[in-house]
Amino acid sequence: MKFALLALALLDQPIAETVSGTPPDFPIIVPSEMCRGYFFVPVTRQASADDQDGGTLWFIYDTGASTSYVDPDSVARISSTPVRNGQRANFPEMNMGPLRVTRLGARVQDLDHLSLALGREVDGILAFDAFDDYLLTLDYARDEMRIEPGELPRPDRQTVFNASGPDDRP
C-alpha cells in the first residue's frame, strides 16, 4: 500500500508486510475521531530511546485537499527541528493505528484558524489521495474510515460520478 502525502509515498511496502508481518483482514478500520462532520486521523511518531512519548499529530482527512499540510507548532511539539511556513516537514517512522508510515511529508502552514473554527487542535490536513491504492469508505453513520482492496465501478452518472469531467450533478 502506498500512503501518499504531498506526492510522496508514505508506506513503501505492501500493507501485508506492514501489519504485524502477516496479511491483514480487510477491511482495515483506520483510527479516527469525528469532529463537526470531519474525520480526524491520529498519526503517531514512534518513540525513540531518549523520548518516551513519540507524539501524535491529528490530521483532518480532507477529500478536497490536493496537498497535505502540517502546522509549524505541531512540528515543533514532536520534533527538534524548527520549521517555518512554506517549508516542508518530513517525519520518518510514523504509525496510523496498525499501519506503519515510513515517510511522512507535508507542507508547513499555520493552521490556527482551523483549530479556532473547529474548537479542537488541528495539527494537519491529509490530502484526498492519502489512500490512493485502496478503496476508501467514509462511513459517516458508523463514524469510521475503512480501506480495502478494490475500486469503484465505472461512472454511471447516477451513483458513481467521474471527478475529472462534467456530469449531471447540480
Side-chain angles (χ1 to χ4, degrees):
M1 173 181 173
K2 292 181 182 167
F3 184 93
L5 281 182
L6 200 55
L8 290 179
L10 297 181
L11 285 176
D12 60 2
Q13 55 188 320
I15 193 168
E17 296 174 16
T18 304
V19 184
S20 303
T22 60
D25 292 325
F26 285 106
I28 292 176
I29 307 299
V30 177
S32 63
E33 290 181 7
M34 291 293 293
C35 177
R36 299 189 182 212
Y38 295 99
F39 285 97
F40 277 75
V41 179
V43 180
T44 304
R45 186 176 64 127
Q46 294 181 8
S48 63
D50 59 323
D51 181 17
Q52 298 300 324
D53 178 18
T56 299
L57 299 177
W58 285 90
F59 282 81
I60 293 175
Y61 178 67
D62 186 349
T63 58
S66 60
T67 301
S68 293
Y69 294 92
V70 64
D71 188 271
D73 296 333
S74 301
V75 175
R77 190 174 73 241
I78 70 163
S79 172
S80 60
T81 305
V83 294
R84 294 185 317 268
N85 281 344
Q87 290 184 308
R88 289 194 37 82
N90 296 296
F91 306 98
E93 302 302 320
M94 304 292 279
N95 292 317
M96 186 183 303
L99 304 175
R100 195 181 94 208
V101 181
T102 58
R103 291 179 297 157
L104 170 62
R107 184 174 296 158
V108 177
Q109 184 66 48
D110 189 329
L111 301 175
D112 291 345
H113 61 289
L114 287 178
S115 296
L116 289 172
L118 293 173
R120 76 170 277 175
E121 188 72 24
V122 176
D123 294 311
I125 299 171
L126 193 59
F128 78 94
D129 61 356
F131 302 94
D132 203 29
D133 289 344
Y134 284 86
L135 180 61
L136 171 67
T137 301
L138 301 177
D139 189 337
Y140 289 92
R142 292 183 178 169
D143 291 345
E144 70 182 23
M145 299 172 66
R146 294 186 301 274
I147 59 170
E148 58 192 309
E151 55 188 51
L152 288 173
R154 294 187 57 78
D156 62 9
R157 304 181 92 179
Q158 305 224 350
T159 58
V160 179
F161 298 92
N162 183 346
S164 64
D167 56 43
D168 295 334
R169 291 179 288 180

